[in-house]
Amino acid sequence: MTQEQLAEKLHVSNKTVSKWETGKSMPDYQTINPLCHELKITIHELLEGKADEGSHSYNNESQVMDLLTRIQTLENQKNLLLGLMLTITGILFFVMSNFIHGSAVRDFISGVLVGIAVGESLIGVYIMAQNIYKNLS
């Protein structure tokens, strides 16, 4: 089966499948069961990268899926927190910039703080929006 055929069956891009194959990323926890079904392997075989020899086979794959779901949830929460922290820091820099003015140097520092504030806030909002969009799809 080609990457493109597998991608079509799993409703992902062939670039995503390529990243899985090269080890640059792992499948999303919601994709693991369908992926294992398509490849006719167990979750353990997928995670280990080799066929089971029978001695270390997981009997309860629902526990593995539960663990993967928890990991994904924690990662989503981490990304959301990062975005929130960047946005708040950006707002704080903006507030600080309002207290610094009076001379050319202070005005320059104030302008730099405003630039950093805008940049951090935009990055924070982007990270949060990307995380929310990812959770909705």
Side-chain angles (χ1 to χ4, degrees), residues 15-28:
K15 290 180 182 180
T16 300
V17 174
S18 177
K19 287 180 183 178
W20 298 341
E21 197 169 27
T22 59
K24 291 181 181 176
S25 71
M26 286 289 292
D28 190 279

Side-chain angles (χ1 to χ4, degrees), residues 53-115:
E53 289 136 16
S55 60
H56 299 294
S57 177
Y58 286 109
N59 293 329
N60 193 352
E61 289 193 359
S62 66
Q63 288 178 337
V64 175
M65 284 305 298
D66 184 46
L67 180 62
L68 292 171
T69 302
R70 289 180 186 181
I71 290 169
Q72 186 72 36
T73 301
L74 288 173
E75 191 171 310
N76 289 341
Q77 290 172 347
K78 178 193 76 164
N79 290 339
L80 196 59
L81 185 60
L82 174 65
L84 186 62
M85 286 174 46
L86 283 171
T87 304
I88 290 172
T89 304
I91 291 169
L92 289 175
F93 278 165
F94 183 74
V95 170
M96 284 175 41
S97 74
N98 288 324
F99 293 111
I100 302 174
H101 36 74
S103 70
V105 173
R106 287 182 173 192
D107 288 344
F108 175 76
I109 293 171
S110 176
V112 168
L113 285 175
V114 169

Side-chain angles (χ1 to χ4, degrees), residues 120-136:
E120 278 193 9
S121 296
L122 289 175
I123 291 170
V125 169
Y126 173 76
I127 290 172
M128 287 190 297
Q130 187 179 30
N131 193 47
I132 291 169
Y133 176 75
K134 183 178 177 182
N135 289 334
L136 293 177

Side-chain angles (χ1 to χ4, degrees), residues 1 6 9-10 12 17 20 26-50 52 58 61-62 64-65 68:
M1 175 182 318
L6 181 61
K9 289 181 180 184
L10 297 175
V12 297
V17 174
W20 298 341
M26 286 289 292
D28 190 279
Y29 75 95
Q30 296 171 335
T31 310
I32 289 180
N33 267 339
L35 176 61
C36 289
H37 177 75
E38 289 298 327
L39 298 177
K40 296 177 179 50
I41 60 173
T42 65
I43 294 173
H44 181 255
E45 290 172 322
L46 177 70
L47 296 177
E48 286 293 315
K50 58 185 179 182
D52 271 341
Y58 286 109
E61 289 193 359
S62 66
V64 175
M65 284 305 298
L68 292 171

